[in-house]
Amino acid sequence: MATGTADGQTVTSDWLAIKPPAIDGVRIKEIRPVATSNGYLTEVFRDEWDLDQLPVGQVFQRTMYPGAVTGWHAHKVTHDRLFCCAGSVRISLYDGRKASPSFGTVWHKIVGALRPAIVVIPPGVWHGVTALGPEIALLLNLVDKAYAYDAPDHWRLPPDTDHIPYKLV
C-alpha cells in the first residue's frame, strides 16, 4: 500500500463523537431522532442533558439560503444554543477570550436534520454559520437571555475578517 495517513477514531461504535469541543465552555449534545408511526420526533433541549444551568430566555429561528454565510458574531453576556432542524450547516467557532485556556482555538461542527445536535456557545466565543447543501437551512437558537431591543448584546465582524484565523467565505 502507498504511504498515507491513517484515519483516527472519531466516533464510538454507537456513533457518538469521541472528542469534546476544543473550546472551553462549549458544549454539544448529539441527538437521535425517534421513528414514530408517522415520521420522526427529535428533541431539541432537555434540562436533564445538563448542558448548562441557564434559563431559556427566548427561542427564535433563522432560515439560511443554500450557501448563505453569516458574519462572525459574539456576545458579552448571552449564551447561544444552536440547533439546525432543516438542511445542514457548519458552525464555526473561535475562542476570542484572552483568559480562556483555549484562547485562539478554531473549532467546527457540521449539524443538521440528518445528524441533529445542539451546540452551546458561551459569551466571548465568536461564531459563524455556513449553510451547506442544496436545501434552505433552518436554525433554532435557544438563548438564555432574550434579545434586548434597546441594547443588543451582539458584536460583529465580517466573515473574512483578519482578526480570526479562519475565513467563513
Side-chain angles (χ1 to χ4, degrees), residues 55-140:
V56 175
Q58 180 185 25
V59 178
F60 59 93
Q61 70 176 24
R62 177 184 185 138
T63 56
M64 297 179 70
Y65 294 121
V69 177
T70 69
W72 289 102
H73 77 277
H75 309 285
K76 281 192 174 180
V77 295
T78 304
H79 283 73
D80 281 329
R81 300 180 188 105
L82 300 180
F83 180 88
C84 180
C85 53
S88 179
V89 298
R90 178 178 44 248
I91 299 172
S92 298
L93 306 180
Y94 169 72
D95 191 351
R97 302 167 297 175
K98 291 183 179 171
S100 170
S102 56
F103 172 70
T105 300
V106 174
W107 181 78
H108 308 278
K109 182 70 177 177
I110 295 174
V111 297
L114 297 177
R115 186 68 180 193
I118 188 164
V119 178
V120 180
I121 305 167
V125 173
W126 291 91
H127 45 290
V129 179
T130 304
L132 306 172
E135 305 169 358
I136 289 177
L138 179 59
L139 198 63
L140 297 179

Side-chain angles (χ1 to χ4, degrees), residues 55-60 81 141-149:
V56 175
Q58 180 185 25
V59 178
F60 59 93
R81 300 180 188 105
N141 194 347
L142 298 77
V143 294
D144 67 323
K145 295 175 179 56
Y147 181 84
Y149 298 104

